[in-house]
Amino acid sequence: MAMLVPASAFETRASEQIYYHSIDASASGGEIVTRFTVISNATMEKLGCQSISISEKRGNSWISVASFDEADTGMSKTNATQHVNSIRWSCKSGVEYRVSVTVFAENSTGRDTRSKTVYV
């Protein structure tokens, strides 16, 4: 049995700038470890993690307790095709956290982003 699928049904890349990305966060040993990968289609002027925002649940509210941006150490690279890193932040045991992460790739045609929120 053969099945014909039009080529347009498959997308080989995520966007003009981002070929692949992954975002994950977990708590381990008193730290929140945020892992990210962004791979571009070509050399980008800048790529990596645009922002990480960590909020702590207090009652029914989320209170911002930490944030990182692309200018912080380990968050981004220039003139690169990929960036993979982990950012660590000390946390309290038994507390629920919300980690919002945005990765990006930027070249002369613009900036593209992908975001994910993880609860730990």
Side-chain angles (χ1 to χ4, degrees), residues 82-98:
Q82 67 178 359
H83 188 43
V84 178
N85 203 6
S86 296
I87 302 296
R88 298 174 179 273
W89 181 77
S90 296
C91 65
K92 302 175 210 168
S93 180
V95 175
E96 186 177 357
Y97 291 93
R98 178 178 66 191

Side-chain angles (χ1 to χ4, degrees), residues 61-74:
S61 300
W62 290 99
I63 308 300
S64 178
V65 293
S67 64
F68 303 88
D69 69 32
E70 64 190 73
D72 290 325
T73 302

Side-chain angles (χ1 to χ4, degrees), residues 4-16:
L4 296 175
V5 179
S8 61
F10 295 101
E11 187 173 359
T12 58
R13 58 185 181 200
S15 74
E16 290 298 317

Side-chain angles (χ1 to χ4, degrees), residues 48-63:
C49 190
Q50 177 176 292
S51 63
I52 299 173
S53 175
I54 302 172
S55 300
E56 178 181 304
K57 190 166 189 182
R58 295 185 192 160
N60 292 326
S61 300
W62 290 99
I63 308 300

